[in-house]
Amino acid sequence: MIMKSGDNYLDDIVSDNAGGKANKLRVQKSTSARLVTLLTCLQFAFAVYATFLLYYMSPSLDLKAKPDFSWATRIASQWKHLIVQPHVVSRYQQTLKQTTVCENENIDFVQKRSNDEVMIKLKRQLYEEVLSYQTKSFGSETLTELMAMKSKWDFKGSNIPKVTVILNHFRRRTLCAQLHSLLHQTLPFHHVWVLSFGSPKEALLKRIVESYNDSRISFISSSYDFKYYGRFQMALQTEADLVYILDDDMIPGTKMIQILSHVAGTEKYKNSVLGSIGRILPFRQKDYSFPSYRKFRSKEGGLYLPDPAYNITVNKIVQVDFLSSSWFLSADLINTLFTETPFTFMTGEDLHLSYQLQKYRNAGSFVLPVNPKDKETWGDSEHRLAYVAETTVVSKDIVQVRDDQWWKALSAGYITQWAAMYPQRSDALFYAHSVEEAKALAPLLKKFRSTIGKKAYIAISGGNFCPCEDAASALSWPKEVCKERRFKIFDLGIEAISGVSNSEVPVVQAVYASMKGLIKIHNPSVVIAVSDTDLNVLKALKMATETNANSALILLPRPSVSKVTWIADLRATALPKWNCMRISINIITQNRAHSLTRLLESLSNAYYLGDEIPISFNMDNKVDEATLKLVQSFKWSHGPKILRRRIIQGGLIRAVSESWYPSSDDDFGLLLEDDIEVSPYYYLWIKYTLLTYHYDPQVSLPELSSISLYTPRLIEVVKERPKWNGTEYFKHKHPNTPYLHQLPCSWGAVFFPKQWREFYVYMNMRFTEDAKKNPVQIPKSRTNGWQASWKKFLIDMMYLRGYVSLYPNFPNQTSFSTNHMEPGAHINAKDNALSHNKSDYEVPLLQEDFIHYLPNGKLPPASMLPSLNLFNQAVSLGGLKVAGAKLRQDVLGCNITEIVIVDHETGLPSHCSRF
C-alpha cells in the first residue's frame, strides 16, 4: 500500500464524492483534531528548546558545570557553536583583510658598512670626544642607568602617561609594520593618528587603518601636502601628555614607548626632546670657516648618530644638535616649533624644532642609548630603511638649503655641540637694529677689527629692520660676508618672530633669545649698541648681557662713537668693568655766578657716553642770590642734581673736603671750583685712564690716588715757583706720555674712594686752627706754611705714604681743565702776598680727540709711566716711599723702612708695613 502525502490525502478527502454527507463530516472532524494536536506539540517543543537555548547561550555560563542536563548541554553547545562561528569568521576575515591590504618594504641589500679606515677613525674619534665632553660636563647615562632613574611616570594607577603617536605617510609601504609594533608596545598608546597629506596612496592607507578596526587608530587626510611641518601642526591638537612623532622609515621596538616615557618623566630630561637618530653639526675648520654638514672625509663635517656605516652605536644618551626621523616630547613643548617662522617649509623641520626648543625653552635634544642585545629597545629597528631613496639629503639643492638653515641658526644664537665644547672668547659683540645704527657703529667696529689680537663681530636684526647686505655696505664690507660660513656678521632674522606685530613682546623675546645665545657662544667682554636704539631692543640687550657675568653692555650716544675708538685698546680683562665706576661732579661755589655759568656750559657740552653722572652744588653760607638762582634753574640731563648749603660759613677747607664722600669703592669724586672750565673730552679721559690703570686686573698701581685734568706750568711747592713745561721735560724719553706726580691737583681732578677716606681721617687727626702747629715739615716745601688750604693736608699724606696723581702731557700744556684765576678765597685775597700771573695758570683746553697725541695712539702700560716727586724731579715709585718714610712724621710711629697701612673701608690707620 502506497501512502499519500498529507496534503494529497486531505485533498482526496475533500474531493471524494463516493460516500454520504455524514461520512464526509466525520472525516473532516477527525482531520482537524489531529492537526491541532500536532501544532500544539510542536509549539511546546519549541518553547522547551527556546528556554534551554537562552539559558545555555548566556556568556557567563560554564557549560561543563551542568552535568544534570548533559543532553541539553550537548544540544546547546552545538547551537552556540553555530551562532558564535560567524564572529570567529569575522576575525579571520579582518586578518585576511589586513593581509590583503598591507604592504611590506622590500630591502634587497644588507646594512651598508664603510671600509674607509680614515673615515672610520675620524668619525669614531669625534664621537668619543663629544661623549667624553658630555660625560664630564653634565653626565651621560646608559639605558640601564636611565631606567633606574626616578621618573614622574611610574606606570601605576593614575601615573600612566597618555601618549599620542603620529605617523606621517606618503609613498612608503611601512604602515602595517609600524601599527603592528605599536599595537604590541609594553606601554599601550593612547591614540595613533595616521596622516596622509597629498599622498597618492591615500585610499590604500585609509583601507589599512580601517582593516585594524581599532577606535584608537585614526586616519587623517588632506589633498594638500603640508610637507614636514603638518604633523607638528596636528600635534598641537593632542590632549595627551606626550607625543611620539615617527617618520615612515621608523619601526620602533615594542619597548620604546615605555622607555621614552620613563626618560621623559625624569627631572633631568623632562624638558627635552628624545629620539633615536640625531646629528651633530659641523665643527670649525682650521681656516675658521664651517664646512657643509654633508662634507665627506672630514672630521669637521659633524656626526650622524647612530651610524652603522662606521660601527658607531649609541650606548650612552648623547645630546645632539637636532633629531631625525622620530621625536618624543612633552605635548606642551610642541608649540615652540612655531615661535619663529621657519627658514623654509620645504625641509628642515628637524633642525628647526631643536633650534627653537633650545633657544626659547632651554630644551636639549637627545638620542637614547639602546641595548644591543635587545632589538625591542631600539627606536630604529630596521635602519636600512633610511638608506632607501626619497630622503631629504640626496638632493644637492636640499643639502644647500639645510646648510644655510643651520648656519642661520648658529648665527642667531643656536648653541651647537661645537659651540658648547669650544666656547669662544671675543672682545666685543656689536648690535645694530637698523642700517643707520650699523653705520654709526662702523668706526669703533673697524678699530676693533684692525687692532691686533682683538676679536669683534656684529649682530644685526635682519629682515626689513636691517637687511644683511645693506648693513654690510654700511660697514664697507663686501656683500658676500652675508653668505660666508664664518664669524663676522650675524643675521638674527628678528622679523621672523616679530612680523608686523605692534606688541613689544616679540621683539624683546627675539633679540633677547638670540643675543643670549651669541653671548654664551662668543663670551664678549662687552656688547656695544647705540643708546637711542628701540626701547624694546634695549630691554632685551640688558637682559641678555646679564646672563653672562663676564660681559658688560655699553650703550653709546651716536655722536660719541667715533670719539671712543680707544675702547679697542683696552685689555679684555678691563672691558667688562665699563659700568662699574660711578663718577660724580662736585662743584664748590659761593658768589661767582658768571664763572659758574661758564663752568656749567662746558660741563653740558662734554661727551658722557650715556653714563649716569650725579652733579652736586656745594654752597657756603654767604652764597649770593645770582648763584642760587643759577643752580636752581640749571638743567642736568645726565643724572640727579643735588644742592647743599651750609648754615654756618665754613671756609674753603670745609667747603672742598666736605663736598664729597665715597659711597663705595667704585664711587669717584670730581671736585671743581667754579672758576674752572673743562674740555669736551674731559670725561672720556677719566673713563679711559680709570679702565686702563685702575680697573684692569693685570695692572698693579696701588699708589695712584687721583687723576688730574690739569697740566701745571709752575712748580708751586718751591718758593720761587719756577715755570715748568712737561712736554719739554719728557720729549726725549716719554713724548706726550702721561706722568705720575706726587702733587695732587686742585684745579680739576678725580679722587679715588679708598684714598679719599684715608685723607678724611688723616686731615681730622692733623687739622689745627694754627697751621704752624702741624707737625709735618717736608724739606724745602712751601706747603709747610700754608694755613687755609685743604690741599696742604693731602700733599702731606701723599708725601708720607708715596701716593701719586696721573697728569696729562700734551703739547703746549693743553689740558682737560683750566683755571681762570678769578678772585676768590686765595687769588687776590688780602692775606695772600703772592702775585698770580694769569698766563702761568690758564692752559689751552683740548678741543679734539686726544688719541692722536698719545704715543702709538693709546695710553702706555703702567710700567712705562714716568714718575715725579713733589718738586718735579724724576723719582721711582719706590723712591717716593723711601722719602716719605725718612720723615717719620706720620700718625703712627713707623721706622724708616715702613709706611702706614690703613683700613680702606674706614680710612683708619692700621699698622706699619715694610714697603
Side-chain angles (χ1 to χ4, degrees):
M1 179 179 180
I2 300 175
M3 298 293 294
K4 297 182 180 180
S5 67
D7 291 344
N8 290 338
Y9 178 76
L10 290 175
D11 288 342
D12 287 349
I13 292 177
V14 171
S15 61
D16 189 3
N17 294 322
K21 185 177 182 181
N23 186 47
K24 185 177 182 180
L25 288 173
R26 281 196 300 271
V27 172
Q28 289 176 346
K29 269 187 179 181
S30 175
T31 302
S32 298
R34 289 196 300 269
L35 183 61
V36 170
T37 301
L38 180 62
L39 292 172
T40 301
C41 290
L42 289 173
Q43 186 176 12
F44 175 76
F46 183 80
V48 173
Y49 160 73
T51 300
F52 280 106
L53 185 63
L54 291 173
Y55 180 78
Y56 285 101
M57 291 298 290
S58 171
S60 62
L61 180 64
D62 183 0
L63 297 177
K64 296 181 180 179
K66 304 295 181 182
D68 294 339
F69 300 93
S70 58
W71 61 273
T73 299
R74 288 193 297 272
I75 296 173
S77 295
Q78 292 174 359
W79 277 97
K80 182 174 182 179
H81 176 73
L82 292 174
I83 293 174
V84 173
Q85 187 63 35
H87 178 70
V88 175
V89 171
S90 176
R91 273 189 180 174
Y92 172 76
Q93 290 174 344
Q94 181 178 333
T95 304
L96 184 63
K97 187 176 181 181
Q98 290 175 10
T99 304
T100 302
V101 298
C102 279
E103 298 178 310
N104 293 316
E105 193 88 11
N106 295 319
I107 306 173
D108 57 359
F109 59 86
V110 297
Q111 178 66 59
K112 292 184 177 180
R113 303 285 181 181
S114 175
N115 57 5
D116 187 333
E117 294 183 2
V118 174
M119 280 294 290
I120 293 173
K121 180 179 179 181
L122 290 176
K123 292 295 184 180
R124 291 201 60 82
Q125 182 182 9
L126 181 57
Y127 174 60
E128 290 168 4
E129 288 177 9
V130 170
L131 197 60
S132 175
Y133 164 76
Q134 294 185 8
T135 301
K136 293 177 182 178
S137 58
F138 54 85
S140 187
E141 299 85 7
T142 63
L143 181 59
T144 301
E145 291 169 337
L146 286 172
M147 298 307 290
M149 294 170 67
K150 184 178 180 181
S151 176
K152 171 184 177 181
W153 309 112
D154 59 10
F155 311 107
K156 298 176 183 178
S158 60
N159 281 340
I160 299 176
K162 294 180 179 180
V163 180
T164 292
V165 183
I166 298 178
L167 309 176
N168 191 54
H169 276 263
F170 192 74
R171 282 199 179 95
R172 275 277 170 81
R173 299 185 297 275
T174 53
L175 178 56
C176 289
Q178 286 185 319
L179 292 175
H180 179 78
S181 171
L182 293 172
L183 285 166
H184 290 83
Q185 290 289 314
T186 55
L187 175 67
F189 57 78
H190 182 61
H191 282 123
V192 171
W193 296 347
V194 179
L195 310 183
S196 171
F197 295 147
S199 171
K201 301 178 65 173
E202 177 183 337
L204 176 59
L205 293 171
K206 183 177 181 181
R207 288 200 302 273
I208 291 174
V209 172
E210 290 174 345
S211 72
Y212 281 84
N213 194 27
D214 191 322
S215 61
R216 298 173 301 162
I217 305 175
S218 303
F219 181 72
I220 304 168
S221 66
S222 169
S223 59
Y224 180 79
D225 187 358
F226 287 95
K227 297 291 184 181
Y228 305 101
Y229 284 86
R231 49 189 165 174
F232 292 97
Q233 291 170 313
M234 287 300 305
L236 294 172
Q237 303 297 318
T238 185
E239 296 178 355
D241 303 299
L242 301 162
V243 180
Y244 192 18
I245 300 174
L246 289 164
D247 271 0
D248 52 14
D249 57 9
M250 297 295 286
I251 313 296
T254 57
K255 297 178 182 179
M256 276 310 297
I257 293 183
Q258 184 171 356
I259 292 172
L260 289 163
S261 298
H262 177 86
V263 177
T266 63
E267 185 65 26
K268 184 175 181 179
Y269 297 106
K270 66 180 181 181
N271 190 42
S272 304
V273 55
L274 309 172
S276 301
I277 298 176
R279 186 173 283 280
I280 290 177
L281 287 167
F283 284 37
R284 193 166 65 177
Q285 301 177 126
K286 292 180 179 179
D287 66 351
Y288 295 98
S289 69
F290 288 81
S292 169
Y293 81 109
R294 300 283 294 178
K295 184 177 181 181
F296 185 64
R297 293 186 70 83
S298 167
K299 177 181 177 181
E300 291 79 16
L303 287 171
Y304 175 73
L305 298 173
D307 199 338
Y310 302 110
N311 196 28
I312 296 178
T313 302
V314 177
N315 52 17
K316 287 187 176 183
I317 190 169
V318 57
Q319 186 169 9
V320 293
D321 293 322
F322 65 91
L323 295 168
S324 299
S325 303
S326 68
W327 303 265
F328 189 92
L329 67 165
S330 173
D332 65 353
L333 291 176
I334 292 289
N335 62 353
T336 311
L337 174 66
F338 304 101
T339 305
E340 293 181 11
T341 303
F343 180 70
T344 175
F345 284 99
M346 297 299 294
T347 184
E349 83 293 353
D350 43 11
L351 171 61
H352 192 66
L353 175 64
S354 293
Y355 164 49
Q356 297 292 277
L357 285 173
Q358 185 204 88
K359 186 173 181 179
Y360 294 105
R361 300 293 290 270
N362 197 29
S365 301
F366 295 88
V367 171
L368 288 186
V370 300
N371 180 351
K373 298 181 180 180
D374 185 1
K375 215 167 186 178
E376 302 306 326
T377 66
W378 299 9
D380 178 25
S381 60
E382 186 48 83
H383 194 74
R384 289 181 298 167
L385 287 170
Y387 284 92
V388 178
E390 278 202 353
T391 61
T392 57
V393 297
V394 173
S395 168
K396 181 179 179 181
D397 293 338
I398 292 296
V399 171
Q400 181 61 50
V401 170
R402 291 172 70 87
D403 272 336
D404 291 343
Q405 183 187 21
W406 72 256
W407 175 251
K408 186 174 180 63
L410 180 60
S411 297
Y414 186 36
I415 305 170
T416 64
Q417 295 309 298
W418 171 83
M421 292 172 64
Y422 299 100
Q424 303 297 292
R425 285 295 306 173
S426 62
D427 297 279
L429 176 60
F430 290 76
Y431 178 81
H433 201 64
S434 67
V435 176
E436 290 73 22
E437 291 181 15
K439 191 172 184 178
L441 292 168
L444 185 53
L445 176 59
K446 181 180 179 181
K447 177 64 183 299
F448 263 101
R449 293 187 63 85
S450 62
T451 301
I452 297 175
K454 297 292 183 181
K455 290 182 182 178
Y457 314 113
I458 184 168
I460 58 172
S461 57
N464 292 332
F465 290 114
C466 186
C468 186
E469 292 188 351
D470 293 347
S473 297
L475 296 168
S476 300
W477 291 351
K479 295 181 179 180
E480 286 72 21
V481 299
C482 296
K483 298 180 180 179
E484 293 177 340
R485 287 199 293 269
R486 63 176 69 242
F487 296 145
K488 192 169 186 178
I489 186 167
F490 304 131
D491 185 343
L492 305 188
I494 300 301
E495 198 173 53
I497 181 176
S498 62
V500 294
S501 172
N502 290 324
S503 171
E504 66 178 34
V505 175
V507 172
V508 173
Q509 183 183 29
V511 176
Y512 165 70
S514 293
M515 291 299 291
K516 178 185 70 171
L518 288 176
I519 290 171
K520 188 170 183 179
I521 293 171
H522 297 283
N523 291 289
S525 297
V526 287
V527 176
I528 302 175
V530 294
S531 58
D532 61 344
T533 190
D534 183 274
L535 291 177
N536 299 318
V537 172
L538 287 179
K539 293 179 185 177
L541 292 176
K542 289 177 181 178
M543 291 190 298
T545 309
E546 288 171 357
T547 62
N548 190 330
N550 297 319
S551 299
L553 177 62
I554 298 179
L555 298 173
L556 297 173
R558 298 193 197 200
S560 299
V561 174
S562 61
K563 308 295 190 299
V564 291
T565 55
W566 45 262
I567 297 177
D569 295 320
L570 295 170
R571 265 198 284 255
T573 51
L575 281 171
K577 306 295 184 179
W578 180 271
N579 297 313
C580 289
M581 66 191 73
R582 181 178 183 268
I583 301 168
S584 60
I585 301 172
N586 305 274
I587 299 174
I588 299 93
T589 188
Q590 179 164 271
N591 53 16
R592 297 189 292 199
H594 174 73
S595 300
L596 180 60
T597 299
R598 180 182 56 220
L599 171 61
L600 296 181
E601 287 179 354
S602 68
L603 288 170
S604 299
N605 292 329
Y607 299 104
Y608 292 103
L609 308 179
D611 293 353
E612 182 184 77
I613 304 163
I615 189 169
S616 68
F617 294 88
N618 302 274
M619 301 167 285
D620 220 330
N621 172 261
K622 296 180 181 179
V623 59
D624 60 15
E625 181 181 0
T627 301
L628 281 172
K629 288 183 177 180
L630 176 59
V631 298
Q632 288 284 357
S633 62
F634 177 65
K635 303 297 182 183
W636 182 248
S637 60
H638 304 288
K641 182 179 77 170
I642 303 168
L643 305 184
R644 299 190 185 96
R645 182 180 179 183
R646 295 182 64 90
I647 295 177
I648 300 174
Q649 190 76 5
L652 192 59
I653 289 181
R654 292 181 177 86
V656 174
S657 60
E658 296 177 8
S659 65
W660 168 75
Y661 192 82
S663 60
S664 72
D665 287 346
D666 296 308
D667 188 3
F668 298 82
L670 171 61
L671 305 188
L672 297 171
E673 294 185 35
D674 51 18
D675 62 344
I676 303 299
E677 185 180 3
V678 296
S679 157
Y681 292 85
Y682 88 91
Y683 186 79
L684 306 186
W685 174 254
I686 295 172
K687 190 98 172 181
Y688 186 21
T689 51
L690 280 176
L691 288 167
T692 303
Y693 299 128
H694 181 74
Y695 277 105
D696 188 343
Q698 297 185 44
V699 174
S700 177
L701 194 56
E703 299 85 0
L704 186 60
S705 64
S706 59
I707 296 171
S708 173
L709 304 180
Y710 178 80
T711 304
R713 285 183 166 177
L714 299 176
I715 304 178
E716 59 179 300
V717 299
V718 177
K719 183 177 181 181
E720 297 79 9
R721 290 184 300 159
K723 292 184 179 182
W724 189 78
N725 188 321
T727 304
E728 289 296 319
Y729 185 85
F730 292 111
K731 70 178 181 180
H732 296 295
K733 289 186 177 182
H734 306 285
N736 293 347
T737 301
Y739 60 92
L740 302 173
H741 197 344
Q742 203 169 24
L743 177 73
C745 178
S746 58
W747 296 323
V750 175
F751 294 94
F752 289 17
K754 292 180 179 179
Q755 287 80 3
W756 190 259
R757 294 191 200 103
E758 187 176 343
F759 164 61
Y760 242 63
V761 173
Y762 179 85
M763 187 168 65
N764 181 60
M765 298 177 72
R766 287 292 171 85
F767 179 77
T768 59
E769 291 295 337
D770 184 357
K772 294 180 180 180
K773 294 182 179 179
N774 191 299
V776 179
Q777 296 293 312
I778 300 173
K780 301 180 181 180
S781 174
R782 286 182 54 246
T783 62
N784 297 331
W786 290 0
Q787 298 185 31
S789 172
W790 64 275
K791 188 174 174 180
K792 170 194 168 37
F793 297 100
L794 184 55
I795 290 173
D796 289 349
M797 187 191 81
M798 291 179 66
Y799 187 88
L800 293 172
R801 299 175 185 176
Y803 289 143
V804 292
S805 181
L806 180 73
Y807 280 78
N809 176 25
F810 299 125
N812 199 29
Q813 285 88 37
T814 303
S815 302
F816 299 100
S817 69
T818 189
N819 177 12
H820 288 288
M821 297 301 293
E822 292 168 340
H826 290 314
I827 307 300
N828 295 342
K830 293 180 179 179
D831 58 348
N832 191 346
L834 295 174
S835 61
H836 295 85
N837 187 342
K838 196 171 184 179
S839 63
D840 291 336
Y841 295 90
E842 274 190 333
V843 295
L845 288 176
L846 196 68
Q847 300 295 335
E848 58 182 319
D849 195 342
F850 53 81
I851 289 297
H852 305 302
Y853 294 102
L854 291 173
N856 300 317
K858 60 182 179 181
L859 285 173
S863 59
M864 299 296 293
L865 296 176
S867 56
L868 304 177
N869 67 6
L870 193 61
F871 307 98
N872 289 46
Q873 297 167 334
V875 180
S876 68
L877 294 179
L880 297 179
K881 291 185 177 69
V882 169
K886 281 183 177 180
L887 287 185
R888 301 191 67 186
Q889 295 178 10
D890 210 328
V891 294
L892 296 182
C894 303
N895 62 40
I896 60 173
T897 61
E898 297 176 326
I899 58 173
V900 173
I901 302 299
V902 303
D903 180 345
H904 282 298
E905 289 187 4
T906 62
L908 294 170
S910 173
H911 61 279
C912 299
S913 176
R914 295 180 64 87
F915 54 85

